[in-house]
Amino acid sequence: MQQIERERAQKWNKMIGTEWETKYRTSDKLRKRVYKGIPNSLRGPVWSKIIALDSIKSKDIYERAKFLAREYSPDLMQIDVDVMRTLREHVHFRERYSSKQQALFHVLSAYSMFNKRIGYCQGMASVTGLLLMYLREEEEAFWALIALTNTKYQMHEMYTEDMNKFHLFTGHHCVLRERLIPKIDAHLKNNEVPETMYLAKMLVQLFFGVLPYELVLRIWDALFLDGPGVIMAASILIFKINRKTILSLESNELLEFLTVMGEAVKIDHDKFMQDLMLMVDELSKENILLPTETKAPNTYQLFQDFKASHEDNLQIGIIQGLPKKPPKILKKKSSGYQTSETVPDLIHNLPLNYGSLERDGAVAVS
């Protein structure tokens, strides 16, 4: 088994090497290998290549957005609360203010400032946490989150206040369910199971917390390669595979099963991924894989929004200097921290354990 894994890793290393752009990036071989499974040790580098992170990164933007968030984001309190709840069963997120918790807070707060059309939505925390577990640096997770909500993945309105895309995808899921699995569709309708209750984790959190962890990762592999149609196809395939169990349950038991399948679901992961690729292809040929929808703003538009919003606070530009305004200072008291008069009220109660620098009785908000 170890020998097979080493050979697979060698093949993947070759694929993402010097011939990536010229030979592999759009090849059938890449697609077959992605659905077959990316080696866990190389999942981060492969995701980075497929998403094309190097092409969307922009120098200094992340640090500047992080700096501004600590002063102006209205979402910091909620982000801090959600950081405590995210991936707590995982060793890297278990300890309060661990390095991964700090990274999660930084990415979510920076994103809330960079893309003010979304700000922050609770479903983003688990998605970002999983990105942080595989990408090398927190800044890569920041740009990957931007890629997911814009570029070809177009998940923007899944996280906006009106959750327009969630409702759009939910409606399309019901159309496909009625067409492809009519008995299950009728059973769910007879039991008056609300689609929004079980589809939230599938669509907003990208199956995190619904399916076994290893299978979620493989669905994400396919999502990054083939786009959001993978989410729609997987949401139908789950019902097909669990047909007997679903038809045997009613009302509350049925809803509970659909919302927290987890390890209780006995799924052959390899077969699931083979069937998923076939379903994506079949629905694409019939032109019913995705609903008709409006596109999210592209990354360039977000850069322009960011620049226009903070012209007075930053020297915005790709290679320009540090923020004009120095970091505010929090004066230390015997019972915690109190802000100086110039710091906005919104961070009065923000824990300062996210990489703050204590020096001479004061804490610089970085």
Side-chain angles (χ1 to χ4, degrees):
M1 181 64 73
Q2 290 182 348
Q3 179 62 28
I4 293 174
E5 288 300 308
R6 280 196 294 268
E7 290 175 358
R8 287 184 64 227
Q10 288 174 357
K11 291 177 181 178
W12 274 101
N13 271 317
K14 180 181 178 182
M15 185 174 281
I16 62 176
T18 56
E19 295 183 298
W20 168 256
E21 292 290 342
T22 58
K23 186 175 180 180
Y24 294 112
R25 186 175 182 181
T26 58
S27 67
D28 290 337
K29 180 179 285 189
L30 173 65
R31 190 163 188 259
K32 289 177 181 177
R33 285 186 179 173
V34 164
Y35 278 87
K36 191 175 180 180
I38 299 171
N40 200 50
S41 61
L42 291 174
R43 183 160 268 122
V46 174
W47 282 0
S48 181
K49 284 285 189 180
I50 293 175
I51 298 171
L53 285 184
D54 287 342
S55 69
I56 64 172
K57 283 182 185 177
S58 187
K59 186 178 179 181
D60 295 337
I61 291 294
Y62 174 63
E63 291 299 327
R64 296 173 183 191
K66 190 164 66 170
F67 169 84
L68 285 170
R70 291 300 298 264
E71 299 220 353
Y72 303 110
S73 174
D75 300 305
L76 295 185
M77 298 302 179
Q78 187 59 55
I79 291 172
D80 179 50
V81 169
D82 291 343
V83 164
M84 288 190 290
R85 301 168 176 167
T86 303
L87 291 166
R88 290 311 297 272
E89 71 283 357
H90 194 280
V91 62
H92 292 308
F93 288 88
R94 197 172 296 153
E95 184 181 345
R96 189 72 169 116
Y97 307 121
S98 65
S99 60
K100 286 297 184 185
Q101 279 203 3
Q102 290 187 45
L104 180 58
F105 178 86
H106 291 157
V107 173
L108 293 173
S109 59
Y111 186 88
S112 74
M113 186 56 60
F114 179 78
N115 188 350
K116 299 188 78 171
R117 302 186 192 196
I118 294 179
Y120 171 69
C121 169
Q122 285 182 297
M124 296 164 64
S126 56
V127 172
T128 306
L130 202 52
L131 289 170
L132 282 165
M133 288 172 62
Y134 287 93
L135 298 174
R136 290 172 299 179
E137 301 172 359
E138 64 181 61
E139 184 173 355
E140 287 194 346
F142 170 77
W143 290 108
L145 187 59
I146 289 172
L148 273 174
T149 50
N150 299 283
T151 64
K152 77 173 185 179
Y153 305 104
Q154 297 290 311
M155 299 290 289
H156 179 85
E157 291 186 334
M158 199 71 78
Y159 301 111
T160 51
E161 188 173 356
D162 59 10
M163 298 184 73
N164 181 59
K165 189 152 196 170
F166 171 69
H167 298 298
L168 189 67
F169 270 42
T170 297
H172 194 62
H173 166 89
C174 293
V175 170
L176 292 178
R177 195 182 68 192
E178 183 176 10
R179 175 171 175 168
L180 301 174
I181 41 178
K183 283 189 176 181
I184 292 177
D185 180 68
H187 183 65
L188 291 171
K189 288 176 179 175
N190 289 337
N191 282 275
E192 299 182 340
V193 176
E195 290 81 11
T196 54
M197 292 292 288
Y198 63 81
L199 283 176
K201 284 187 176 180
M202 294 186 190
L203 303 182
V204 178
Q205 296 183 202
L206 305 179
F207 300 97
F208 192 81
V210 179
L211 294 174
Y213 178 71
E214 293 78 9
L215 183 56
V216 172
L217 290 173
R218 293 186 64 175
I219 292 173
W220 280 37
D221 295 342
L223 163 65
F224 288 137
L225 184 68
D226 280 347
V230 168
I231 305 169
M232 190 56 61
S235 74
I236 297 297
L237 186 57
I238 288 170
F239 283 87
K240 291 186 73 173
I241 289 176
N242 292 282
R243 180 177 180 275
K244 288 184 179 180
T245 302
I246 290 171
L247 293 176
S248 70
L249 298 173
E250 295 184 357
S251 301
N252 292 337
E253 288 184 343
L254 178 56
L255 181 58
E256 184 178 355
F257 175 78
L258 293 175
T259 51
V260 193
M261 298 180 192
E263 300 297 336
V265 179
K266 303 303 180 184
I267 298 178
D268 183 321
H269 294 185
D270 291 334
K271 188 176 188 311
F272 182 94
M273 294 306 297
Q274 291 172 8
D275 292 345
L276 180 60
M277 184 165 67
L278 290 173
M279 181 171 282
V280 168
D281 290 342
E282 289 170 3
L283 296 180
S284 295
K285 287 177 183 176
E286 295 183 48
N287 201 29
I288 56 172
L289 180 61
L290 286 169
T292 303
E293 57 188 311
T294 56
K295 289 188 176 182
N298 60 37
T299 306
Y300 176 76
Q301 287 175 302
L302 293 177
F303 279 138
Q304 297 308 305
D305 290 350
F306 185 64
K307 177 179 179 180
S309 297
H310 307 295
E311 201 81 70
D312 293 338
N313 298 306
L314 293 177
Q315 297 174 355
I316 295 296
I318 301 303
I319 58 174
Q320 291 177 351
L322 295 172
K324 290 180 180 179
K325 294 174 68 176
K328 303 299 187 225
I329 298 298
L330 300 184
K331 296 179 180 178
K332 192 169 184 178
K333 281 193 169 185
S334 57
S335 57
Y337 295 97
Q338 179 183 30
T339 58
S340 64
E341 294 180 359
T342 57
V343 181
D345 290 341
L346 63 91
I347 64 170
H348 274 198
N349 299 310
L350 179 66
L352 298 173
N353 302 66
Y354 293 108
S356 298
L357 177 63
E358 291 196 274
R359 185 174 58 226
D360 299 328
V363 177
V365 181
S366 57

